Amino acid sequence: MTEVTRRSLLATGAVLLREGGVASPDHDASVLLAHVLGVSRGALVLVDHITDEQADGYLELVHRRAAREPLQHLTGVAYFRHVELAVGPGVFVPRPETELLAGWAVEQAHRVARETRREPVVVDLCTGSGAIAKSIAAEVPGARVHAVELGEDAYAWAERNLSGSGVDLRHGDMGTAFEDLRGSVDVVVCNPPYIPLTAWESVAAEARDHDPDLALYSGQDGLDAMRVLEQRAAFLLGPGGVVGAEHADEQGPDGLGGGAPAVFAATGRWVDVRDHLDLAGRPRYTTARLAR
């Protein structure tokens, strides 16, 4: 192989990724090269020499990414708020949009600590990789954080990511989890599956082909898991406790039947039902406070 340069490799990588339909070809090309070279993206400009072996390894990863294998599967790492997570096949890759929901949960936990002068109790249902639970444990020292995951493979990833964090991780169904915490929880947070079964073809290839179905699909309208969450949150929360849950763009208050907010408002168990926008101005998550 003739001598290759950093610039030529990045250019080739970006072209291949763009042709593959990757949404952020330049970004992904640089992340993959930094991964192969064992440096940060910022340090790429300092790289003068690239071996043939490194170039071959890089192009192999680029072709896999162009085939829409998730970037995080290729690097083995996902970054979420202030924590680093190990991810791979079998677990939902955390998305940047979910950081807003996690931030809401962190703020609520801090509020409880201030107002009650005790350790807040937080439950993360459908924890997946453990992203939200790990963030709360890291950002709210003293919080008693509990998390549950049903998927076998995802649970193994969560176990790895939450090791040493102090989070109480359990393997089970969110609809029946934490019987021992009934009425004692301050904050329930959840990023449930919310894609309608009929929307399969519209899902991005990275998610459709690589994220577990258990983390994606939830009945004909995508809100089956939200309904289970509403019931479980009411069971777990103490008086005045709060719940927050992510949903699809189309499941905001203007969605069919009132969307996710209506799931909570219709039962009469909740007050202060609000929907929140993401940074792009799209409906992203619903919060509510237990009325009793």
Side-chain angles (χ1 to χ4, degrees):
M1 179 182 290
T2 58
E3 184 177 357
V4 294
T5 65
R6 167 179 49 84
R7 286 187 177 181
S8 65
L9 269 182
L10 286 174
T12 298
V15 168
L16 292 172
L17 295 178
R18 191 170 289 108
E19 290 175 349
V22 173
S24 51
D26 295 317
H27 169 272
D28 289 18
S30 61
V31 168
L32 290 175
L33 185 56
H35 172 69
V36 169
L37 299 179
V39 302
S40 68
R41 283 181 64 208
L44 277 177
V45 294
L46 303 177
V47 174
D48 293 322
H49 179 67
I50 297 175
T51 67
D52 288 352
E53 183 180 7
Q54 289 171 329
D56 289 342
Y58 170 69
L59 291 175
E60 178 186 350
L61 291 182
V62 165
H63 283 293
R64 290 171 62 185
R65 180 70 187 103
R68 307 301 288 278
E69 190 169 341
L71 177 67
Q72 296 86 351
H73 283 197
L74 299 175
T75 63
V77 177
Y79 299 98
F80 187 86
R81 289 181 67 84
H82 307 294
V83 301
E84 182 177 305
L85 302 155
V87 295
V91 69
F92 181 81
V93 175
R95 302 324 198 240
E97 305 94 288
T98 308
E99 294 185 17
L100 297 175
L101 174 64
W104 170 87
V106 166
E107 291 172 2
Q108 294 301 313
H110 277 304
R111 176 188 57 78
V112 170
R114 287 194 309 270
E115 294 177 356
T116 66
R117 304 285 180 168
R118 62 170 173 78
E119 298 174 337
V121 181
V122 183
V123 166
D124 177 20
L125 301 175
C126 304
T127 196
S129 65
I132 295 177
K134 188 172 183 177
S135 291
I136 297 168
E139 296 181 52
V140 191
R144 293 160 53 197
V145 184
H146 307 265
V148 66
E149 173 54 42
L150 178 60
E152 293 276 356
D153 292 337
Y155 176 81
W157 286 105
E159 193 172 34
R160 176 177 173 181
N161 287 319
L162 296 176
S163 176
S165 68
V167 174
D168 166 32
L169 173 65
R170 306 186 194 183
H171 187 203
D173 191 322
M174 76 162 177
T176 57
F178 303 116
E179 288 285 326
D180 54 314
L181 297 180
R182 180 175 188 174
S184 67
V185 177
D186 298 300
V187 182
V188 170
V189 62
C190 182
N191 182 13
Y194 52 69
I195 299 174
L197 291 171
T198 54
W200 181 86
E201 291 186 354
S202 67
V203 179
E206 288 86 347
R208 185 185 66 234
D209 299 338
H210 297 280
D211 282 334
D213 287 353
L214 187 65
L216 297 178
Y217 305 105
S218 187
Q220 292 303 307
D221 64 355
L223 292 172
D224 281 2
M226 193 72 69
R227 297 183 182 99
V228 174
L229 166 64
E230 184 276 326
Q231 296 176 19
R232 202 58 185 171
F235 174 90
L236 291 170
L237 290 170
V242 293
V243 59
E246 184 170 320
H247 58 70
D249 304 7
E250 301 82 5
Q251 293 166 343
D254 295 329
L256 184 65
V263 171
F264 292 89
T267 67
R269 286 192 281 249
W270 306 91
V271 295
D272 300 332
V273 178
R274 294 183 54 209
D275 207 60
H276 305 257
L277 305 179
D278 61 21
L279 297 178
R282 299 168 297 197
R284 184 53 57 199
Y285 67 97
T286 295
T287 61
R289 183 180 304 277
L290 194 64
R292 59 176 170 83

